[in-house]
Amino acid sequence: MLQIRDIIWGWLLIGCAAAIQVQITPSQGEISIGDSKFFLCEVVGDAKEIDWYAPSGEKILSTSTSDNLFVSRNDETTATLTIYHASGDSAGIYKCVAKNGDKEAQATVQVKIFQKITFQNAPSPQEFNEGEDADIVCDVFSSPPPNIIWKHKGSKIQPAKDVRYRIMSNGHLQIRGIKKIDEGNYDCEARVMARGEIDFRMMKVIVNVLPTIRARQSEVNATADISSTALLACDADGFPEPTVTWAHNNVVLETGDKYSLNEDGSELVIKDVKKVDEGDYTCIAKNKAGEKTEEVSLNVFVQPKITYFNNQTASEFDEQVTLTCEALGDPTPTISWSFGNRVFTEGEQASWTRPDKYESLDRNVVVRSHARVSSLTLKNIQFTYAGQYLCTASNSIGHDSQHMYLEVRYAPKILGAVTVYTWEGNPANISCEVDAHPGASVVWFRDGFQLPSPNTTNIKIYNTPTISYLEISPDSQNDFGSYNCTATNTMGTESKEFLLIQAEVPSSPEIQQVEPFSSTAVVEFDEPDSMGGVPIIKYRVQWRLPGKGWTGKEYDAEDDMMRITIVGLKPETTYEVKMSAINGKGEGESSLASTFKTEPVQYFTISSASPPSIGATSMALREPIAPKLEIMAQNGGKSLRINWIKQDDGGSPIKHYLVKYKAKHVSAWKPELRLPHGSEYILLSGLDWNTEYEVHVVAENQQGKSEPGIISFRTAMEPTTIPDAVDGGSGLGTGAIVGILIVVFFLLLVGVDVTCYFLNNCGLLMCIAVNFCGKAGPGAKSKDMEEGKAAFTKDESKEPIVEVRTEEEHTPNQEGRGPTEPNETTPLTEPEPAAADTTPMVVNLLPSTAANSVTESLSTAQSSPASESTTLTISTSSPTKAAPTKSSPKNSSHSNSLKADPQPNVGPLVDLSDTPKVAPSSIQTPLVLDAVSPPSANVDGPQSRCDSEKAPDSTQSKDLQVASQTKDAPSALCTDSTTPAQNDGKTVKEDNSTSETEVKNATGEVKTVPNEAPQANGNESKA
């Protein structure tokens, strides 16, 4: 732009021959008051001075800071005039003058100052109360003055069409009687047509509405002194939302111990209402539009309270007695009296003989009331007057009651039935019920003698505070008759006779009619005329075909039982029926037989247009009646037994029963079950815990199905503990049970092994002790063991050896034992160490005595000077032909186990101290030992199988050790014998030869010396 301008000015200079020209940009200007604007003065030509002059003609200096004018020289050809914050005085013609010597040029510009649209006062929001004339303020200034237009909701307000609106001279909008619907945003629009200027302000108009208030209840009733609360409530509306407060007696109420207010204050709760809280309460609603109040009345009532009452005591036949009752309350309560179901009120006279009408000429009961006091007067006192009287005070809000007691002293009154029926052998109780005050003592008499008498054993008396029972068990007709009950207290004595009567069987019931059906019949009957004195417990109904045997059934008697149904009859058949009644005494006579005939089977014909053929006509018997169902609970809770009772089969036999069931909360039925016709129940198992089930049972015959018999039940709750095995099996798994059994079996083996170690000196522990530790078993004697072993090892034969040795030494644990004498029951195997037992033992050495020979030789061997040794050798030969049938299986098993042992068993030695000397002639005597049962038949263990005989002896002891071994027979077996040991002698009989050995003053003890390992293995096998 500058280049083009310079070119233009260049041409002008050339054209004007160096003349000076001035131009002002803009050429004219309008400035709004308060605004700023500048003007540029441009000079064409050579000008030394460029100056601006104010409208007053005064030169505006560049350094001047006065007013709001400022001039600046930009370069040699331009100067700028700036008017800051123009005011009305800034208007006028401004001149720019350019000089160069005597040459001068100037230009002017007219500046106009105007007032633009200004909203001086247009507040928002502006609030007004509903119903008043609203003056909406909008103060606008401009030059020239603006034209004001009002708009509401986008539409121009036209006062000519709505007289409620008026635009004031100052531009305000007036709304007469402003309403809530007038609320909203209003636009105040100002326009200056000369300049086309427009501006507006939006103002929010709020219309406040005066509160309206209403009480939920104008009157509230409350009850005092019962820690109750009263709720006073009022609802207030308005805009803005009003605040609600409460006042009582001009005091504003606040939340505290006595009062509580909800969040908006509309509900006032008065706690623990008292009578002093009664009165008017003011509900105050207040907002910007104003205040409204509403009164709520609180009425406080007092429940009746009986403050005084008294108990009385009188004697029978006294003239009168008065009971008094006093009560308080608001409103004043009314007082009534009652005794049992009788009610007495003021002014009414009640009779004890006619309590339902309360009117009687005898005037035995009189009620009088005055203010808050009431009295009940009873005249001509009877013992029935005694008891609890109720005084009731009532008003409109409640009632209060108190019991008063009238104690009447009276002589005994004996109550109860005077006749009792029974029969011989059946105990009966005669009850003597005594009503007396004070309590009475009761005595029973018969024929003038007090019961029970010393010579009566069939009479007992039981007493309670009010009843005395005389229990009689009649033995004969003499026990029936009259019994006297006499009751005595301080007021008098009374007696009463009671009769014990022989009961009879009932008379026969009378059959009224028989209603027959095709397969059933209903017998209607009357009860027997005579019950025999005791209740009927059953009826027997019998029926038969004429001339045939009777068929009967008993039915339990029920109250008002008049009909009995018999089933299982044949259609179109004549029957006879009779009945008899049964009581505790027995069965009475039967009624006369009644004859009836069952109905024929019903037929129907399928109709058609043409006559039906034979095949079209069918016989249709009636469907059966639905069976009657019963529930029988089973152990375990998840199983249930459903029983059913067959009903009328409709004349056709039942083919089968159809059973289905399901849980009620599901729709699908379990698969239907079909049971035979003779079935009477079904067991449902695997049910869910705590579930309700429904069961249908249908009976079906040839003609169709019955209606289902339906029954519902709920299973038990699931138990929290594992049920016992009896209730449904163990809750443990199979693996756990097997593990427990293995552990128990292992512990049992360990226990047996330990027992064998300590008792029999055998077992696994014995083997370990001997073979690995080199130790003998407990209680063993090393010396005896070594001697016994030496005695055996010197003899290379494998025949069993029995060595009898007499020693003088004593063992501490054998002192005090009695003498022991060997006989035919003395065990020849190792005895078990146990407590003293004098029971003799029987030994069976061989499976068959016919194939074995036992020889016995006694020899005297020199030992030490202190002891004398006697050796008894028993040789056993194996049978060559042993009949297998004569050996028990148990003995055979023992024999087999012993054959497998390659080493001979070394049996324990039997030490005998002070062995009786035997004549040489009796040394070799054939010996036959009786066979006994094997030890495996005895379940008492080794201790009971081989008990040692021990008898007290204060001076000597014997050690009996017997070593025996056979190839075909087990170690010597022993059982208990009932033959006691004898101290004076012993006799042994064998086959046909008899040898007697007499032992006198012999003492001994049997003890066990452990064997070597082979013997221990034998004992293990035996155990």
Side-chain angles (χ1 to χ4, degrees), residues 892-914:
S892 299
S893 63
H894 281 285
S895 177
N896 294 334
S897 64
L898 291 175
K899 285 180 181 182
D901 190 355
Q903 299 295 332
N905 293 338
V906 181
L909 300 179
V910 180
D911 297 338
L912 298 178
S913 300
D914 297 335

Side-chain angles (χ1 to χ4, degrees), residues 49-64 66 69 71 81 94-95 97 99:
E49 296 180 7
I50 301 176
D51 298 318
W52 281 92
Y53 292 89
S56 61
E58 183 180 358
K59 181 181 178 181
I60 302 173
L61 302 176
S62 58
T63 59
S64 174
S66 62
L69 302 175
V71 175
L81 170 64
Y94 290 84
K95 181 173 59 176
V97 178
K99 293 179 180 182

Side-chain angles (χ1 to χ4, degrees), residues 890 933-945 974-976 1023:
K890 295 182 180 180
S933 59
S936 60
N938 193 330
V939 297
D940 294 335
Q943 182 70 20
S944 61
R945 286 187 285 112
C974 52
T975 59
D976 293 342

Side-chain angles (χ1 to χ4, degrees), residues 778-825:
K781 292 187 177 180
S782 301
K783 179 179 178 181
D784 295 342
M785 185 174 178
E786 293 297 332
E787 292 178 357
K789 189 188 307 181
F792 178 77
T793 54
K794 289 181 180 179
D795 189 357
E796 296 298 334
S797 66
K798 295 184 179 180
E799 298 298 328
I801 298 175
V802 177
E803 183 181 40
V804 179
R805 185 178 61 239
T806 302
E807 297 178 357
E808 296 296 336
E809 61 183 11
H810 297 276
T811 304
N813 60 358
Q814 295 173 346
E815 293 179 1
R817 305 292 184 180
T820 301
E821 174 179 57
N823 53 37
E824 67 272 13
T825 60

Side-chain angles (χ1 to χ4, degrees), residues 427-438:
N429 286 333
I430 301 178
S431 301
C432 180
E433 183 178 355
V434 180
D435 188 5
H437 185 73

Side-chain angles (χ1 to χ4, degrees), residues 123-424:
S124 179
Q126 298 184 40
E127 297 186 20
F128 306 94
N129 293 335
E130 186 179 34
E132 68 182 9
D133 294 338
D135 185 6
I136 304 176
V137 177
C138 182
D139 293 333
V140 185
F141 298 96
S142 73
S143 57
N147 183 25
I148 304 300
I149 298 174
W150 285 91
K151 294 181 180 180
H152 178 50
K153 297 180 180 178
S155 299
K156 182 179 179 181
I157 296 176
Q158 299 179 3
K161 294 183 179 181
D162 192 343
V163 297
R164 294 176 59 243
Y165 295 102
R166 179 185 176 189
I167 298 177
M168 309 295 289
S169 60
N170 58 1
H172 295 183
L173 175 64
Q174 184 184 67
I175 304 177
R176 298 185 181 94
I178 192 170
K179 301 177 182 179
K180 187 65 176 176
I181 59 174
D182 296 327
E183 191 175 63
N185 294 325
Y186 286 79
D187 293 335
C188 175
E189 185 177 289
R191 296 184 179 186
V192 177
M193 300 300 294
R195 293 190 301 272
E197 186 181 2
I198 184 172
D199 198 2
F200 72 94
R201 290 291 184 270
M202 180 183 290
M203 290 165 290
K204 184 176 182 180
V205 175
I206 297 175
V207 179
N208 295 325
V209 180
L210 187 69
T212 59
I213 189 170
R214 61 187 180 277
R216 297 181 190 173
Q217 290 178 293
S218 59
E219 290 189 4
V220 176
N221 298 329
T223 304
D225 303 324
I226 59 171
S227 299
S228 65
T229 59
L231 175 63
L232 310 182
C234 66
D235 297 317
D237 293 326
F239 188 85
E241 186 74 22
T243 59
V244 180
T245 57
W246 289 86
H248 179 55
N249 296 333
N250 297 324
V251 177
V252 177
L253 305 180
E254 297 179 354
T255 299
D257 295 336
K258 184 64 178 178
Y259 307 100
S260 65
L261 296 166
N262 63 346
E263 292 182 359
D264 60 2
S266 61
E267 295 181 353
L268 171 67
V269 177
I270 304 173
K271 306 173 185 177
D272 193 14
V273 177
K274 304 292 183 182
K275 186 66 177 176
V276 296
D277 296 326
E278 192 173 52
D280 292 334
Y281 289 78
T282 305
C283 178
I284 305 170
K286 184 178 182 180
N287 66 1
K288 292 180 179 180
E291 178 181 297
K292 283 283 186 177
T293 61
E294 184 74 18
E295 297 290 337
V296 179
S297 297
L298 175 63
N299 302 318
V300 180
F301 298 97
V302 180
Q303 277 192 332
K305 180 68 176 179
I306 295 177
T307 58
Y308 175 80
F309 61 93
N310 64 330
N311 299 322
Q312 293 289 349
T313 300
S315 297
E316 191 176 22
F317 309 123
D318 283 355
E319 183 177 351
Q320 71 177 29
V321 65
T322 300
L323 303 175
T324 304
C325 182
E326 182 177 349
L328 297 177
D330 185 14
T332 301
T334 58
I335 300 176
S336 62
W337 294 84
S338 63
F339 180 76
N341 57 356
R342 307 179 184 93
V343 179
F344 317 125
T345 57
E346 182 180 4
E348 295 179 339
Q349 288 75 38
S351 169
W352 293 98
T353 60
R354 302 178 62 191
D356 53 337
K357 293 189 176 181
Y358 304 111
E359 296 179 1
S360 176
L361 297 177
D362 56 11
R363 298 178 179 273
N364 284 335
V365 179
V366 178
V367 178
R368 294 186 179 91
S369 297
H370 176 70
R372 295 184 173 90
V373 180
S374 179
S375 63
L376 175 67
T377 301
L378 305 175
K379 299 181 180 180
N380 302 323
I381 307 302
Q382 303 294 325
F383 79 96
T384 55
Y385 290 9
Q388 179 176 273
Y389 289 79
L390 181 65
C391 170
T392 304
S394 305
N395 62 13
S396 59
I397 61 169
H399 65 275
D400 187 26
S401 300
Q402 286 291 345
H403 290 97
M404 281 168 277
Y405 295 89
L406 175 61
E407 179 185 359
V408 178
R409 299 185 296 270
Y410 54 93
K413 317 290 182 183
I414 298 180
L415 311 175
V418 297
T419 58
V420 178
Y421 291 85
T422 188
W423 57 93
E424 294 180 7

